[in-house]
Amino acid sequence: MPVRAEGFLPWQDAEMVALGATVYADHCAACHGAQLEGQVPDWRSPGPDGRLPAPPHDETGHTWHHADMLLFQITKYGTEALIGGEYRSNMMGFGDLLSDAEIVAVLAYIKSTWPPQVIAAHDRVNAAAQ
């Protein structure tokens, strides 16, 4: 995947965003919410099972604090696989279920929903990750 300073997510590509919306609805919304609102209001605190709940992917969450490549890797491999140690999350890896293009499309859909100032902040995160 070619990486530019603003990242590689095709969030302005209507076809990719539409695909991403469909894949999100089918595979992500059950945990992250149909409106990207997350699982629970206090998504930063572990639940009774000791695992962090699914965070929001809208502008109130922390998704946009991470560069495109890290978001792609989290989605493909799962959070625990990347972070390791004592970190516990229910975020599985989708690499065996979704193609790389579908993962990119989901992330493009998510980014397409953010307001311009959050998109600009995310672009700065991508530039800093270069």
Side-chain angles (χ1 to χ4, degrees):
M1 279 173 253
V3 179
R4 303 175 312 273
E6 66 276 9
F8 62 83
L9 299 180
W11 64 273
Q12 294 175 305
D13 180 324
E15 191 173 310
M16 286 295 283
V17 169
L19 171 62
T22 299
V23 175
Y24 180 90
D26 291 345
H27 298 283
C28 311
C31 293
H32 291 282
Q35 303 301 312
L36 299 102
E37 72 274 13
Q39 204 164 30
V40 295
D42 186 14
W43 52 271
R44 290 185 174 107
S45 297
D49 62 359
R51 295 176 176 272
L52 290 171
H57 287 313
D58 62 13
E59 70 275 6
T60 68
H62 71 274
T63 307
W64 59 270
H65 291 89
H66 302 297
D68 291 352
M69 186 56 72
L70 180 57
L71 295 174
F72 176 83
Q73 291 170 331
I74 288 170
T75 308
K76 183 167 183 162
Y77 304 112
T79 311
E80 284 185 34
L82 289 178
I83 296 176
E86 300 296 315
Y87 188 89
R88 296 294 173 254
S89 167
N90 289 322
M91 177 60 187
M92 64 178 258
F94 285 84
D96 292 335
L97 189 62
L98 302 176
S99 69
D100 288 358
E102 288 171 319
I103 293 171
V104 168
V106 166
L107 296 171
Y109 160 68
I110 291 168
K111 184 169 182 171
S112 77
T113 68
W114 298 336
Q117 68 273 19
V118 173
I119 289 173
H122 184 246
D123 289 347
R124 289 190 296 274
V125 169
N126 279 318
Q130 295 280 309

